[in-house]
């Protein structure tokens, strides 16, 4: 594996000139918080980054297992391919925007991405922004943004990898990246996962094995035309099948077929950076049973033009226009409306002149279904002394009603409600960063008021309404330090998420969440320990079904040979704990995995 001269050439084309001048060689660079590259240390948002090397070292077998170790996020996973729910600062999956290389993906019928089907194929890093970013990205970014980055990083390599594990888990992957002549590059990765699984639900549901298989492909082709212009074409494809249990049908399983294709054209002048993105993607789910077959599909086309200009050495202005169209389809009764356009303009001002930092953002969305919506955000940071920075932000966000919410076909049991309004929120936080020689520390207190929450009331007839209000208060604490050769990452989250009308806790949000990740490297041997404590929560809105808290630990070890061969082993759920993330649903027992990979 080697770093190419092309990678060096690409670096300054990814960020405004004034910002590039102030970046140190060892700075971690992020792209998600404000749509443009900036050093992680200067960001006013709460951002966590996990790199490819770390994902490989912990030997995660699913996207959920990667997210679970990050600070500020609760992940409820039932098993490979099963429904995966995530909560960020008390907000649910539908309030989390998922991007692949900066492009929005997910279902317009359910209103969220299928986090249980996101493969780890070709991932270079994952950036996770906690807190609202609707003033940057629009709908869905109420609780946070997750950006999966697979783009070429300037390293040439070839790799083969295979894994075996408990419950007949198997995985095989091949990947390669290379610089071509005439300043072009290519990258691809292909992966297939398979598992026999376990029964998703507990007895009296039939205790069969709910299996899973998934094939995915990532590819990129790009060219650097000169110092100012470059272009790339990126593709992602996933196809899978998951068995699941149902109380209403037998022989149930789901097939998914998702893809995203994005073309990007970048320009970098002395003070100006621009990017044009054209993308199309699909989220398709086929649900089968012994007596039925239902298809739900979302096709989305997107155009985004972004321009970032350095007004001077302290001020950078980023603005853009975005258009996307969602089209949904089903093989059953048609939706009353199957397409809608969303047009948006946005602007972000970034001021960086020590000791003060300010970010101000605003966005206007105009949607065919619910009209216009304006969001804004203001954040500031003040460097009290070299080691201490104070932080604060306030902003609004919203979540658009889904096609199911608005136009679900009428039946004797339910129908959509075209009069629904978007859910909306006002959020603010205060925090501090302390960077010492021996420890990095971050503290954040936050509060969100959410109005017009959409629910589907029961039991007589299901039709969604804007009736609920929620108040979420919380505290995040993070620390990173080393004791000798042992590296520590600790986090604690306290979440108090309640329905304001009933004063009941929102379902499945644990009030206490603590994580401790340890890493030890001695010569060619590496150990990683991931521990998690998730406190009590309730399975229902009435708070009558309690889910008990639990403690989990994973152990992973890797040995690196000098010829590019790596042997790895992992024990998941080391102490074989029995626990529930959803009432009457099973979770994985202790599991064993071995992996061998060869890089050249």
């Amino acid at each position: 594996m080697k770093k190419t001269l092309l990678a060096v050439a690409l670096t300054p084309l990814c960020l405004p000139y004034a910002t590039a001048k102030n970046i140190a060689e060892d700075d971690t660079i992020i792209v998600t918080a404000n749509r443009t590259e900036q050093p992680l240390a200067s960001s006013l948002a709460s951002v966590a980054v996990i790199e490819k090397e770390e994902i490989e070292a912990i030997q995660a077998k699913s996207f959920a297992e990667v997210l679970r170790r990050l600070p500020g996020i609760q992940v409820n996973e039932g098993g490979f391919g099963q429904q995966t729910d995530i909560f960020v600062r008390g907000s649910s999956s539908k309030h989390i925007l998922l991007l692949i290389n900066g492009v929005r993906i997910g279902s317009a019928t359910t209103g969220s991405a299928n986090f249980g089907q996101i493969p780890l194929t070709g991932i270079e890093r994952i950036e996770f922004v906690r807190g609202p970013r609707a003033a940057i990205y629009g709908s869905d970014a109420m609780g946070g943004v997750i950006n999966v980055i697979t783009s070429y990083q300037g390293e040439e390599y070839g790799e083969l990898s295979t894994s075996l594990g408990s419950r007949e888990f198997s995985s095989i992957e091949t990947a390669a990246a290379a610089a071509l002549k005439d300043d072009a590059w290519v990258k691809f990765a292909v992966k297939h996962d398979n598992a026999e699984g376990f029964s998703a639900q507990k007895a009296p549901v039939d205790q069969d094995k709910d299996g899973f298989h998934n094939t995915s492909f990532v590819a990129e082709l790009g060219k650097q035309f000169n110092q100012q212009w470059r272009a790339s074409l990126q593709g992602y494809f996933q196809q899978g099948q998951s068995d699941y249990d149902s109380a209403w049908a037998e022989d149930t399983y789901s097939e998914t077929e998702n893809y995203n294709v994005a073309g990007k054209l970048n320009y970098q002048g002395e003070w100006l950076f621009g990017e044009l993105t054209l993308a199309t993607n699909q989220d398709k789910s086929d649900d089968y049973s012994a007596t039925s077959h239902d298809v739900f599909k979302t096709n989305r086309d997107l155009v985004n033009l972004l321009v970032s200009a350095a007004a001077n050495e302290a001020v950078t202005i980023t603005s853009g226009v975005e258009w996307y169209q969602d089209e949904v389809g089903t093989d059953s009764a048609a939706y009353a409306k199957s397409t809608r356009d969303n047009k948006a303009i946005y602007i972000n001002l970034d001021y960086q002149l020590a000791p003060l930092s300010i970010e101000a953002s605003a966005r206007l969305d105009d949607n065919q279904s619910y009209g216009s919506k304006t969001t804004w955000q203001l954040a500031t940071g003040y460097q009290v002394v070299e080691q201490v920075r104070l932080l604060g932000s306030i902003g609004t966000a919203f979540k658009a009603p889904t096609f199911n919410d608005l136009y679900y076909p009428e039946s004797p049991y339910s129908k959509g409600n075209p009069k629904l309004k978007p859910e909306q929120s006002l959020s603010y936080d205060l925090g501090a960063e302390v960077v010492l020689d021996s420890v990095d520390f971050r503290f954040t207190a936050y509060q969100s008021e959410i109005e017009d929450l959409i629910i589907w009331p029961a039991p007589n007839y299901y039709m969604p309404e804007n009736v609920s209000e929620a108040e979420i208060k919380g505290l995040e604490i993070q620390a990173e330090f080393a004791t000798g050769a042992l590296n520590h990452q600790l986090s604690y989250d306290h979440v108090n998420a309640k329905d304001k009308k009933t004063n009941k806790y929102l379902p499945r949000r644990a009030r206490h969440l603590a994580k401790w990740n340890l890493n030890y490297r001695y010569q060619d041997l590496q150990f990683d320990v991931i521990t998690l404590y998730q406190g009590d929560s309730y399975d229902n809105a009435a708070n009558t079904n309690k889910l008990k808290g639990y403690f989990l630990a994973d152990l992973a070890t890797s040995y690196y040979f000098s010829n590019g061969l790596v042997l790895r082993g992992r024990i998941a759920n080391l102490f074989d704990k029995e626990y529930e993330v959803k009432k009457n649903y099973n979770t994985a027992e202790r599991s064993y995995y071995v992996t061998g990979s060869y890089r050249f």
Side-chain angles (χ1 to χ4, degrees), residues 116-336:
Q117 296 289 347
I118 304 299
L120 299 178
T121 313
I123 293 179
E124 298 291 343
R125 72 180 185 273
I126 298 171
E127 296 181 5
F128 167 44
V129 184
R130 302 189 298 281
R133 305 307 285 177
I136 302 292
Y137 292 101
S139 177
D140 302 349
M142 287 181 69
V145 179
I146 299 171
N147 191 9
V148 179
I149 297 170
T150 68
S151 55
Y152 176 64
Q153 302 296 299
E155 292 180 337
E156 290 190 301
Y157 66 90
E159 184 174 31
L160 296 170
S161 178
T162 186
S163 299
L164 297 173
S166 298
R167 290 172 289 280
E168 297 191 22
F169 174 86
S170 64
S171 175
I172 185 167
E173 179 178 11
T174 182
L180 308 176
K181 64 179 181 178
D182 298 326
D183 293 327
W185 69 90
V186 64
K187 173 188 171 179
F188 76 88
V190 183
K191 187 177 185 181
H192 179 76
D193 297 322
N194 189 80
E196 188 178 70
F198 52 87
S199 179
Q201 292 192 37
K202 297 182 176 181
V205 174
D206 182 26
Q207 295 301 286
D208 59 341
K209 294 179 180 180
D210 292 318
F212 163 78
H213 64 78
N214 193 353
T215 301
S216 51
F217 176 76
V218 167
E220 179 178 358
L221 180 65
K223 180 174 174 57
Q224 184 82 42
F225 297 103
N226 52 43
Q227 288 190 348
Q228 287 78 38
W229 292 94
R230 70 181 170 114
S232 64
L233 181 65
Q234 301 166 332
Y236 148 80
F237 177 80
Q238 177 271 331
Q239 187 176 63
Q241 178 179 314
S242 303
D243 300 333
Y244 66 93
D245 291 327
S246 172
W248 298 279
E250 296 180 351
D251 301 326
T252 50
Y253 64 95
S254 175
E255 293 181 349
T256 58
E257 185 175 285
N258 305 320
Y259 65 78
N260 180 65
V261 179
K264 296 187 178 185
L265 178 66
N266 297 81
Y267 171 81
Q268 176 69 68
E270 186 176 358
W271 298 99
L272 184 70
F273 170 74
E275 182 177 75
L276 173 65
T277 301
L278 306 176
T280 182
N281 54 56
Q282 173 183 280
D283 184 294
K284 181 183 178 184
S285 174
D286 289 60
D287 293 324
Y288 294 86
S289 73
T291 57
S292 66
H293 174 210
D294 296 314
V295 179
F296 293 93
K297 182 171 69 170
T298 297
N299 288 99
R300 178 178 296 115
D301 297 320
L302 178 145
V303 180
N304 186 81
L305 175 63
L306 175 147
V307 177
S308 185
N312 53 48
E313 292 192 359
V315 178
T316 301
I317 301 173
T318 302
S319 60
V321 294
E322 184 178 69
W323 170 89
Y324 62 86
Q325 181 184 75
D326 293 332
E327 181 177 2
V328 301
T330 177
D331 67 339
S332 55
Y335 286 85

Side-chain angles (χ1 to χ4, degrees), residues 486-598:
L486 192 61
N487 299 306
H488 306 258
Q489 295 177 334
L490 290 89
S491 66
Y492 168 76
D493 295 86
H494 174 71
V495 180
N496 189 31
K498 286 190 171 183
D499 185 313
K500 290 185 69 173
K501 291 186 177 180
T502 65
N503 201 35
K504 301 291 186 180
Y505 291 105
L506 298 182
R508 299 177 189 155
R509 278 81 160 174
R511 294 190 295 282
H512 301 280
L513 192 65
K515 303 176 184 182
W516 188 0
N517 302 321
L518 298 96
N519 167 266
Y520 175 80
R521 178 77 181 258
Y522 177 74
Q523 296 182 356
D524 296 324
L525 186 63
Q526 178 173 326
F527 291 94
D528 288 270
V529 179
I530 301 99
T531 62
L532 163 73
Y533 171 73
Q534 185 164 309
D536 295 346
S537 62
Y538 292 98
D539 190 58
N540 60 341
N543 290 183
T544 56
N545 295 329
K546 193 171 189 177
L547 298 170
K548 293 183 179 180
Y550 56 88
F551 171 83
L552 297 177
D554 291 359
L555 172 64
T557 183
S558 304
Y559 188 84
Y560 300 84
F561 294 88
S562 59
N563 61 356
L565 179 65
V566 183
L567 295 181
R568 307 183 191 272
R570 174 184 172 216
I571 306 175
N573 193 359
L574 181 63
F575 302 109
D576 201 21
K577 295 289 186 178
E578 293 186 15
Y579 63 100
E580 285 184 317
V581 296
K582 186 177 181 180
K583 203 69 175 178
N584 298 322
Y585 278 75
N586 290 309
T587 52
E589 301 172 343
R590 182 189 293 124
S591 304
Y592 303 89
Y593 302 95
V594 293
T595 300
S597 64
Y598 178 65

Side-chain angles (χ1 to χ4, degrees), residues 377-393:
Q377 189 157 8
L378 178 65
T380 185
Y382 187 81
Q383 201 77 38
V384 181
V385 295
E386 183 179 357
Q387 298 85 4
V388 179
R389 183 170 69 148
L390 301 181
L391 302 162
S393 73

Side-chain angles (χ1 to χ4, degrees), residues 73-95:
I73 185 169
Q74 176 188 332
V75 179
N76 292 349
E77 181 187 29
F80 296 128
Q82 301 300 315
Q83 179 178 334
T84 297
D85 297 320
I86 66 173
F87 302 94
V88 178
R89 291 187 173 181
S91 297
S92 66
S93 299
K94 70 175 184 176
H95 295 147

